[in-house]
Amino acid sequence: MGHSLLYMMGFFLLSTVICGNAKDYSTDLQEDDDLSPPKPTVTLQPSWTQIYSGETVTVRCEIQGGEGAQWTYEWRPAKLNTPPTSNEYRINSTTESDSGGYSCRGRRDSSWTKWSDITSLKVTAPPKPTVTLQPSWTQIYSGVIYSGETVTVRCEIQGGEGAQWTYEWRRGRVNIRQSSNEYRIIRVTESDGGGYSCRGRRSSSWTKWSDITTLRVTVPSKPTVTLQPSWTQIYSGETVTVRCEIQGGEGAQWTYEWRPAKLNTPPTSSEFKIITVTESDGGGYICRGTKTYLLTEWSDTITLTVSSKPKAELRADNTAVPVGGSVTLTCSVNPSSSSSSSSSSSGWKYYWYRDGKSYEPVTNGQISVSEGGLYSCRGGRGEPVYYTEDSDSVRIDTTVSNRPVVTLYPNWSEIYRGETITVRCEIHGGDTEWDYEWETNSMIKAPNQTEYRIRSASSSNSGNYRCKGRMKSSQHKTTEWSDSVTLTVSDNKPRPVLTVSPSWLSPGASVTLNCQVEHPSAGWSFYWYKAVPDLSEKSSSYELLPDGSGTAQDSYIIHGQTHTAGYVCRAGRGDPEYHTDHSQPEFVWSADVHSAASLTVSPDRVQHFTSDSVSLTCEGNFTEWRVRKFSEDGRLSDCRRMTGSTCNINTSESDTGVYWCESGSGEFSSAVNITVQNDGNGPILVSPVHPVTEGASVSLSCSLKTQKYFPMCFLSQ
Ligand SMILES: *[C@@H]1O[C@H](CO)[C@@H](O)[C@H](O)[C@H]1NC(C)=O
Ligand SMILES: *[C@@H]1O[C@H](CO)[C@@H](O)[C@H](O)[C@H]1NC(C)=O
Ligand SMILES: *[C@@H]1O[C@H](CO)[C@@H](O)[C@H](O)[C@H]1NC(C)=O
Ligand SMILES: *[C@@H]1O[C@H](CO)[C@@H](O)[C@H](O)[C@H]1NC(C)=O
Ligand SMILES: *[C@@H]1O[C@H](CO)[C@@H](O)[C@H](O)[C@H]1NC(C)=O
Ligand SMILES: *[C@@H]1O[C@H](CO)[C@@H](O)[C@H](O)[C@H]1NC(C)=O
């Protein structure tokens, strides 16, 4: 400021020099020292420090004490010099170029006063007011206020403080009768919305118009977002229209604002169509309407849930149409929206296909069919129709009246592990060619052929088997299911039981062997063996009896048997033949001592006390022996304490049994009964172990354990 003033003064001096008024200038210098004339003062009217361009300013030269005299005036700058007789100069409309320092002097007669001090005038461009809204939060929410609230619109002029302003207001292009700097609106209505601007005036000049500040009035009508179609569950690929509806706002030219903002184009339409919905379109939508200076509230959120494309599901209450009947097919789309029962809420129609071709122009979710075929369905809804994925196909067969029969070959009710068996499906009647299907609950499934041959059965083949036939010429025609047939495969190997009759040989009599398997009727044939002692293996080997191979009869008769012998049997059946285990050996005993091998007992008596030492000795022209016992409970055992050909026994009750010798070369001795006393204190009958030949004498006696022998108790003869 000071700098520009100095600059201007320099300019005046310089211009004086250039203009060439050298005389006045030298005179000035001389008269500056003269104190007698007064010094004028330059005043400004109005006296504001800040004058806006366009305002009127009067510059006046006042000479103290000089009133009444006839003065002429000279000004610096010189532009004010005309007319020089007036002491004031009026600048009707200031411009910024009027800024500067002003001074004057007066002349009376021929003498000049001194120059006044410089008074500076500052002209600036008029300020631009600002319209603000109170309360201030309306400012933050971009001028949004609810109708009924109170708002104050204020005009602020920066740097205009202290001056006496009058104001002019406009809302849009309409002037408002208001001249103060505040415009207070109590209970705002829709008509108060608009763009407010103001300007100020002091003295005669106006400021510029302020920028427009918009006041929006929200009316409490709340729009609603709707989805078209209104299904809450939408699948990706469907078309959805999101619509903003303003109740009571029909007919008005609303524009719409959406959140998320992606729907904002075009904003003049109340609805937005999402042609091919994707899962990313799912989410909440809200809208509001705007209309000039009106704004509705935000609507409530509507949530659009977009799921991936569903697949229809087809269910059949039966996969075979009974003779003369029908089957009900049900098509559904899951997850079905809200109530799956009413198709109207989910909007689905159903489209049916049979063998790949459109079937029946019905759109029900349930149909009844009596034709066989490969059925599928899908759902569709909307406009254009949006289709679900096709359901899996369901095969529906029609039933013909033939009924198959399952047979087992061989037809044994119980089968053993390793046997060979064939399960066969037989359809009688007609010369139709069939394909076969099996249904079984066994662990191993039957192949879909007319027969299932099990070469080596196991319990995994056990189960119920049923079959049906499908016509080779018409694949959707089948027979009914056959009755189920149960196949039971036992993992146990059967062991037959052999009985021998009689046990003790009587001269000339025949011996009958009988072999029993658990299920006697099931096609068994029998094998008959003689036991041959095998001392090295501590067992026996078996030698097939003459004509003893695979007899159909379960008994075998041996004629003229004279010696002690052991027998074994087993059974077999099927092709290839399956064999049971060998039976336990059974014996027929001879009491005849005149054989190649014999057994002597010491002491030579049938009955013995407990804890007696009894020795049994094998005799005959053989080197190796074993003594065998067949106890009362049917167990076969070998003597454990052999010394050479003698078996020593310290008797106990369990030693009661039949004893005989077997030689290493397969000879059987005669057999003897040995009884061990079971009543500790009673007497025993002392009688020889071997039968007595007719006519020979025999001595019998009774004995007590304490006393070696005592006279014969009685003799029965
Ligand atoms: C200034 O205004 C007055 C009165 O309105 C007028 O008489 C005068 O001519 C004006 N002066 C100029 C320089 O326009
Ligand atoms: C097995 O078949 C035969 C004829 O092949 C028949 O006589 C017999 O009754 C059948 N047995 C069973 C148990 O089906
Ligand atoms: C037999 O056919 C039926 C029906 O086609 C099928 O479900 C089954 O798996 C088939 N069984 C075998 C062992 O191929
Ligand atoms: C052995 O006892 C049985 C019956 O107890 C009898 O039938 C048989 O003849 C007896 N044998 C001898 C050799 O005594
Ligand atoms: C036989 O056994 C009994 C009882 O165990 C015993 O007291 C007795 O000494 C035994 N006799 C012989 C000869 O081993
Ligand atoms: C015993 O057998 C041998 C050889 O087999 C024979 O030489 C001998 O004569 C036989 N002895 C008797 C008593 O049979």
Side-chain angles (χ1 to χ4, degrees):
M1 182 67 69
H3 180 264
S4 71
L5 208 59
L6 275 172
Y7 171 78
M8 277 191 282
M9 288 171 73
F11 177 74
F12 296 149
L13 290 171
L14 193 62
S15 68
T16 309
V17 170
I18 292 168
C19 292
N21 196 348
K23 178 181 164 280
D24 283 353
Y25 183 65
S26 59
T27 312
D28 289 348
L29 291 175
Q30 284 169 347
E31 283 176 359
D32 279 347
D33 298 331
D34 186 359
L35 295 171
S36 53
K39 187 175 174 182
T41 313
V42 173
T43 61
L44 297 175
Q45 196 50 238
S47 62
W48 305 319
T49 53
Q50 183 86 50
I51 299 294
Y52 300 124
S53 57
E55 287 187 304
T56 299
V57 165
T58 303
V59 189
R60 183 172 296 148
C61 192
E62 287 175 357
I63 301 168
Q64 204 72 33
E67 300 86 355
Q70 203 64 41
W71 296 93
T72 58
Y73 299 88
E74 189 178 2
W75 289 91
R76 285 185 185 163
K79 62 176 174 177
L80 305 190
N81 282 352
T82 336
T85 51
S86 171
N87 75 329
E88 60 176 40
Y89 191 83
R90 183 182 162 96
I91 309 172
N92 278 1
S93 180
T94 54
T95 65
E96 282 172 59
S97 66
D98 293 323
S99 296
Y102 290 85
S103 65
C104 69
R105 65 176 180 176
R107 190 184 62 178
R108 198 172 50 182
D109 305 329
S110 62
S111 75
W112 289 95
T113 67
K114 290 185 187 175
W115 283 101
S116 72
D117 289 338
I118 291 169
T119 294
S120 62
L121 171 64
K122 196 173 131 210
V123 180
T124 58
K128 189 167 163 184
T130 316
V131 175
T132 59
L133 298 174
Q134 297 274 317
S136 56
W137 46 260
T138 53
Q139 207 82 34
I140 296 165
Y141 294 102
S142 54
V144 178
I145 193 159
Y146 288 99
S147 74
E149 291 188 294
T150 295
V151 71
T152 301
V153 191
R154 182 173 294 152
C155 191
E156 285 173 4
I157 301 172
Q158 201 73 33
E161 300 83 357
Q164 201 62 44
W165 295 92
T166 55
Y167 295 86
E168 198 173 287
W169 287 92
R170 275 183 188 170
R171 183 175 54 235
R173 291 164 175 257
V174 179
N175 287 347
I176 303 171
R177 293 166 61 86
Q178 175 73 22
S179 57
S180 73
N181 73 326
E182 276 190 2
Y183 177 47
R184 186 174 166 80
I185 313 168
I186 299 172
R187 282 193 291 282
V188 165
T189 65
E190 288 175 44
S191 61
D192 293 318
Y196 283 83
S197 59
C198 68
R199 62 175 182 172
R201 177 170 61 95
R202 62 178 188 189
S203 67
S204 60
S205 79
W206 290 99
T207 66
K208 289 185 188 167
W209 282 101
S210 69
D211 287 339
I212 290 170
T213 292
T214 303
L215 176 68
R216 295 163 196 272
V217 180
T218 298
V219 291
S221 78
K222 195 170 182 178
T224 314
V225 180
T226 57
L227 296 179
Q228 189 72 40
S230 61
W231 312 313
T232 51
Q233 182 72 57
I234 301 287
Y235 296 98
S236 67
E238 288 195 283
T239 295
V240 150
T241 302
V242 189
R243 182 173 294 151
C244 190
E245 285 173 3
I246 299 169
Q247 203 69 33
E250 299 84 354
Q253 200 58 49
W254 294 94
T255 59
Y256 298 87
E257 195 178 335
W258 288 94
R259 291 211 180 138
K262 61 177 170 178
L263 304 189
N264 281 348
T265 341
T268 48
S269 171
S270 66
E271 58 180 45
F272 190 84
K273 205 168 192 174
I274 311 174
I275 300 289
T276 307
V277 168
T278 65
E279 282 174 51
S280 66
D281 293 318
Y285 287 89
I286 56 174
C287 73
R288 65 178 177 184
T290 67
K291 185 176 65 174
T292 52
Y293 302 109
L294 256 184
L295 199 58
T296 69
E297 287 181 77
W298 284 106
S299 69
D300 288 336
T301 303
I302 194 159
T303 302
L304 174 64
T305 310
V306 182
S307 309
S308 54
K309 190 170 192 170
K311 181 171 176 173
E313 194 187 334
L314 176 54
R315 274 168 295 141
D317 65 347
N318 191 348
T319 55
V321 182
V323 178
S326 65
V327 159
T328 301
L329 303 180
T330 307
C331 193
S332 58
V333 177
N334 285 313
S336 187
S337 63
S338 54
S339 55
S340 57
S341 53
S342 73
S343 67
S344 60
S345 71
S346 60
W348 293 111
K349 288 178 173 177
Y350 297 92
Y351 301 86
W352 293 92
Y353 302 90
R354 176 172 167 265
D355 293 334
K357 290 198 247 346
S358 190
Y359 178 72
E360 292 222 359
V362 295
T363 52
N364 296 339
Q366 202 167 65
I367 61 169
S368 182
V369 301
S370 51
E371 293 173 277
L374 208 54
Y375 286 88
S376 64
C377 70
R378 62 175 175 171
R381 66 180 185 183
E383 188 57 51
V385 181
Y386 170 82
Y387 292 102
T388 67
E389 303 273 6
D390 289 357
S391 70
D392 289 335
S393 299
V394 170
R395 166 181 239 159
I396 302 296
D397 297 322
T398 45
T399 309
V400 296
S401 54
N402 307 49
R403 192 184 181 109
V405 175
V406 174
T407 46
L408 299 178
Y409 292 92
N411 65 354
W412 308 320
S413 57
E414 174 123 28
I415 305 292
Y416 296 97
R417 178 186 197 85
E419 285 197 284
T420 295
I421 190 160
T422 300
V423 188
R424 186 176 295 161
C425 186
E426 287 170 359
I427 303 171
H428 300 289
D431 49 5
T432 317
E433 281 197 87
W434 301 95
D435 288 326
Y436 296 85
E437 278 170 31
W438 287 95
E439 201 176 75
T440 171
N441 59 359
S442 62
M443 280 161 65
I444 299 175
K445 302 299 173 203
N448 284 334
Q449 282 155 14
T450 179
E451 63 173 43
Y452 173 33
R453 185 168 164 82
I454 307 169
R455 280 177 200 288
S456 179
S458 74
S459 57
S460 305
N461 297 116
S462 292
N464 297 322
Y465 288 77
R466 62 177 192 165
C467 71
K468 70 176 173 189
R470 182 177 297 281
M471 267 188 209
K472 271 196 196 303
S473 55
S474 174
Q475 281 290 301
H476 296 307
K477 286 195 176 142
T478 68
T479 67
E480 289 181 64
W481 283 106
S482 69
D483 286 336
S484 274
V485 165
T486 304
L487 173 64
T488 308
V489 181
S490 168
D491 278 334
N492 301 326
K493 196 158 194 186
R495 164 170 278 201
V497 174
L498 177 67
T499 52
V500 174
S501 170
S503 294
W504 289 92
L505 283 173
S506 43
S510 301
V511 176
T512 303
L513 308 182
N514 196 283
C515 198
Q516 292 294 327
V517 196
E518 222 173 314
H519 299 282
S521 65
W524 296 108
S525 57
F526 298 91
Y527 297 82
W528 307 95
Y529 302 90
K530 188 169 77 177
V532 179
D534 183 350
L535 272 53
S536 60
E537 294 294 315
K538 286 196 161 62
S539 68
S540 302
S541 58
Y542 304 121
E543 199 173 274
L544 207 55
L545 290 170
D547 300 324
S549 175
T551 65
Q553 296 296 318
D554 61 1
S555 60
Y556 183 93
I557 297 170
I558 302 163
H559 299 284
Q561 175 71 36
T562 52
H563 294 103
T564 299
Y567 298 99
V568 158
C569 75
R570 67 169 174 167
R573 67 177 180 183
D575 180 21
E577 192 167 25
Y578 167 84
H579 293 284
T580 68
D581 277 343
H582 288 97
S583 70
Q584 293 286 359
E586 289 295 320
F587 294 89
V588 57
W589 295 295
S590 164
D592 182 10
V593 291
H594 305 292
S595 57
S598 66
L599 171 63
T600 58
V601 178
S602 174
D604 179 13
R605 61 182 193 228
V606 173
Q607 295 184 5
H608 300 270
F609 297 109
T610 52
S611 300
D612 268 357
S613 269
V614 178
S615 58
L616 299 96
T617 305
C618 300
E619 289 169 355
N621 196 6
F622 308 106
T623 51
E624 260 188 308
W625 294 98
R626 69 177 169 197
V627 173
R628 309 203 93 184
K629 176 179 93 176
F630 193 80
S631 16
E632 281 180 314
D633 60 9
R635 287 201 354 253
L636 179 66
S637 58
D638 289 6
C639 175
R640 279 165 294 146
R641 290 172 64 202
M642 288 292 289
T643 311
S645 57
T646 300
C647 168
N648 297 299
I649 305 172
N650 186 356
T651 55
S652 68
E653 275 180 49
S654 65
D655 289 323
T656 298
V658 184
Y659 288 79
W660 69 96
C661 295
E662 290 179 10
S663 81
S665 53
E667 299 291 329
F668 283 76
S669 74
S670 55
V672 300
N673 286 327
I674 287 180
T675 307
V676 178
Q677 178 199 48
N678 54 11
D679 168 10
N681 295 320
I684 59 167
L685 171 66
V686 179
S687 65
V689 293
H690 291 298
V692 185
T693 39
E694 220 176 312
S697 65
V698 61
S699 73
L700 304 173
S701 60
C702 263
S703 175
L704 282 171
K705 192 170 171 80
T706 45
Q707 158 192 8
K708 209 98 178 102
Y709 291 104
F710 73 93
M712 192 187 302
C713 307
F714 65 89
L715 176 64
S716 76
Q717 180 75 30

